[in-house]
Every structure is written in C-alpha cells, then in structure tokens.
Amino acid sequence: MVSEIRLYTEAEQIGKAQHFAAVLSSRGVQVQIETVEKLNARFFRLNPELALCVDADGLWLCANGMKMQPDWKAEVGRLKRASLKSEMIARACNLGEKPNLIDATAGLGHDSLLMAHFGANVTLVERHPILFTLLEDTHLRSQSDAFLNPVVNRIQLVFSDSADYLKLQAEQNAVVDVVYLDPMFPQRDQNQQAPKKQAQVKKQMQLLHMLLPEDGEMDLGDNLLELAQKIGKRVVVKRPRLAIFLAGKQPDHQWQGDACRFDAYFQHELVAD
C-alpha cells in the first residue's frame, strides 16, 4: 500500500491541493505538495514517477507521462445508449428490479455507475485510500452534472476492505439483493469499444497496476465469493470469458458474451428482516 506520495499542483490550485493532502493524511497517506509552473505534457514526461496532481478538473493519478482519474462524466454517452436489454450486466444483476446492491470491487466505479443509472441503489466499497479519494472526488464533481446527479445520488461510497465490510454485514444479519464482484483487472479491457476509448482504458489500467501492484489479478478473488454468499440473494461475478470459476465454484447460471461472462450464484434461502 502506498504510504507516501508527491502531489503536483499549480499555484492557483494550492488550496484544493491542501484539501486533498489533508484528506489523504487522515487515511494514512502522507502527501508532499510541490507547486509547479505548468502541469502539461512535457512536465509529466519529465516526472515519470507515480504521483498525484490537482488541476481545475480535480484530482488525478499520474506516471510515465500519463494521467488518469475515474472520469464518470466521460461515461455519459455510454449511459445514454445503454438499455436493460442491451447490457448483459443488467440481466445478470436483475437491474430491472432496481435492487439494493453492493459492488465489493470498486475499480474506477464505471460498472457501479451503469448499475445506478438503471436504478440500483449501490454501495461501492474500496479499501485503497488513494483510489477511494479519486472516486470520492469524481462522485462529488458528478453531482454538478444534470444528467449524472440523480445517478450518483444512488451511489454510496464506503472506505473499507471488502472482506471486512462483507463480514460486518453478515454479523449484522444484513441481506442485500445483489453482491457484485469483479476481481480481475483484465476484464476492463474486454468491452467492445472504439480504438480511442480502448486506448484510454489501457492507459487507466497501466496506472492502476502501478498504484495497486499487490491487488493483482488473484488478490481479491476466492474468499470474497463465500463472504458475499452469506448476505447476497444473488452474487454476480464478472469474468473473462474463458477464465476459471471463482473459488472453483460452479455458478447456478451464466450470461456469456464475446469477451466476458457473468457467473451468478443464488441464495434463495436468504430473507431480509
């Protein structure tokens, strides 16, 4: 886990940078603020180490000449084109019923955004303090967008280890309609997208791999399924199409796509209080 990081900003954004530094410090990450003359492509090429930066568009993760953030506003086009029939995730998670849903593997939050767009009430869980702060920033900024405002208001962010959070819910005898698990990085490149969008996704994943090296492809996997089944009437796992079953467990049902699939596990005996 990253415990110390540099944060670059221009002079006019110093107040915003100090705010993010204070927030990250409260989450166990020490931030060294460095004011620079101009945050431009040349600067990022000359400063390739993993860092954060703050500009007028919020908080960014940067490294190797690239920068990225979970830009939910960039997803608006996809949301407007999406329908319950066209999106396999909508059928797998039964989104037509507007379920209460836990997304235990947050990533950049794009799947949660889509599920909330279809009416799900989503609890988005993320344990990494920097990624959580990036998500928190985009969640806040998205509230100013007229289209996204009602969507993001259905998303609650929880700063917690997913296993700890699911255990706590089980101890409290909580029951939710759906627990969604997406434990593997590679699937985020699986969607059929235009080349420009695909390049953007690959850039985002490169930076996430640098931030989360310990959260590799297997880190979040097998134990979460058993925990999720204790509280979720339906547990949905997103997998690359040819990947093995999570925890070696045969699903009750599958939805197959060209590049990825959704494995579903049903707990019919669970009943909410």
Side-chain angles (χ1 to χ4, degrees), residues 25 29 33 44 69 102 121 125 137-138 142 147 200 207 225 243 252 273:
S25 177
V29 180
I33 298 176
F44 291 119
Q69 61 183 183
I102 295 174
N121 295 302
V125 184
D137 180 46
T138 198
S142 296
F147 179 84
Q200 174 70 14
L207 291 179
L225 178 57
D252 297 310
D273 293 336

Side-chain angles (χ1 to χ4, degrees), residues 23-212:
V23 169
L24 285 164
S25 177
S26 73
R27 294 169 179 162
V29 180
Q30 297 307 307
V31 177
Q32 180 182 345
I33 298 176
E34 184 172 323
T35 305
V36 302
E37 183 176 346
K38 193 70 175 175
L39 288 172
N40 54 23
R42 182 174 184 274
F43 173 83
F44 291 119
R45 287 197 302 272
L46 295 175
N47 295 273
E49 73 279 5
L50 186 70
L52 296 169
C53 67
V54 172
D55 61 16
D57 295 319
L59 183 67
W60 300 76
L61 185 68
C62 52
N64 293 338
M66 303 179 289
K67 65 175 186 175
M68 78 89 182
Q69 61 183 183
D71 186 2
W72 290 359
K73 291 184 180 181
E75 296 294 301
V76 168
R78 180 195 177 193
L79 298 183
K80 289 182 175 179
R81 293 190 300 271
S83 69
L84 290 171
K85 289 185 178 181
S86 67
E87 294 287 344
M88 194 163 48
I89 192 174
R91 301 192 294 278
C93 294
N94 200 25
L95 296 181
E97 296 298 317
K98 297 180 170 44
N100 292 319
L101 184 149
I102 295 174
D103 183 347
T105 48
L108 297 177
H110 293 162
D111 284 344
S112 278
L113 191 68
L114 179 65
M115 292 187 286
H117 170 64
F118 286 131
N121 295 302
V122 180
T123 300
L124 183 60
V125 184
E126 175 54 50
R127 72 181 182 180
H128 195 288
I130 293 176
L131 182 53
F132 182 84
T133 305
L134 287 162
L135 287 164
E136 190 176 55
D137 180 46
T138 198
H139 184 273
L140 179 62
R141 288 184 291 104
S142 296
Q143 292 175 19
S144 64
D145 183 281
F147 179 84
L148 286 177
N149 179 271
V151 178
V152 299
N153 283 338
R154 288 191 287 272
I155 299 176
Q156 175 190 4
L157 300 177
V158 173
F159 179 42
S160 174
D161 177 85
S162 293
D164 292 342
Y165 182 77
L166 293 175
K167 288 175 186 175
L168 178 61
Q169 298 305 303
E171 289 169 3
Q172 296 175 347
N173 296 316
V175 175
V176 297
D177 298 313
V178 182
V179 179
Y180 179 71
L181 302 176
D182 177 10
M184 296 183 70
F185 276 120
Q187 64 78 27
R188 299 199 187 280
D189 286 342
Q190 303 294 332
N191 297 325
Q192 296 298 315
Q193 301 169 35
K196 182 177 180 181
K197 178 67 174 180
Q198 185 70 11
Q200 174 70 14
V201 171
K202 289 181 178 178
K203 177 172 73 173
Q204 290 172 337
M205 297 320 301
Q206 286 180 42
L207 291 179
L208 277 187
H209 274 300
M210 294 180 67
L211 180 66
L212 311 171

